[in-house]
Amino acid sequence: MFYNKKMAVLEIKKYPEKILKEKALPIEYIDGNIQRLMDDMIETMYALGGIGLAANQVGISKRICVIDISAIEEEMPLIVLVNPEIIEKKGSIESEEGCLSLPEYKTNVKRAEEVRVKGLDRKGMPIEIEGKGFLARALQHEIDHLDGLLLIDRISPIKREFFKKRYKKTMAGNK
Ligand code: NI
């Protein structure tokens, strides 16, 4: 772990905030500010009990995501990915997902069963990750965020309408 005393928990952007619908911009080079953002994203993900987080979820339109699924698959290390890209997909499987930007909502989403993703790590070194099972799902969910897509964009229109009605009520109840 790259522990930094100055790490901060950032505010999460929630549906229907506009930045979540926008395609995030590629990173051209990784400097101290970008690494600081990565560390803050990691801190935020852990503080909120999330298993993944994309930079646009904290209001920054850059192609960075962090994933830690060790709560589900113990041996999986923390992943920091810059400019991630899916280069291969296999199979199809439906399973339940949630998202920090859609509080109190969970639904089944159909995704590829396996993916191969390339990108850069925290230091800017090229990496390739082969994701199976839950990791494949987390990678697709976070890369979707960077493309301006939420899990509700992956469900049927009927389910989406139902979500919108329920979500309004939930958010009104939380005020
Ligand atoms: Ni999410």
Side-chain angles (χ1 to χ4, degrees), residues 90-119:
K90 258 188 232 167
S92 170
I93 189 167
E94 198 171 276
S95 187
E96 194 178 63
E97 281 181 33
C99 180
L100 291 172
S101 295
L102 301 165
E104 293 173 47
Y105 185 67
K106 281 200 159 76
T107 191
N108 276 348
V109 182
K110 200 193 258 185
R111 303 242 188 224
E113 206 170 351
E114 289 177 31
V115 288
R116 184 185 284 272
V117 171
K118 70 166 188 179

Side-chain angles (χ1 to χ4, degrees), residues 40-54:
D40 288 345
M41 284 171 61
I42 293 164
E43 183 77 352
T44 304
M45 170 175 72
Y46 288 146
L48 301 177
I51 51 173
L53 191 66

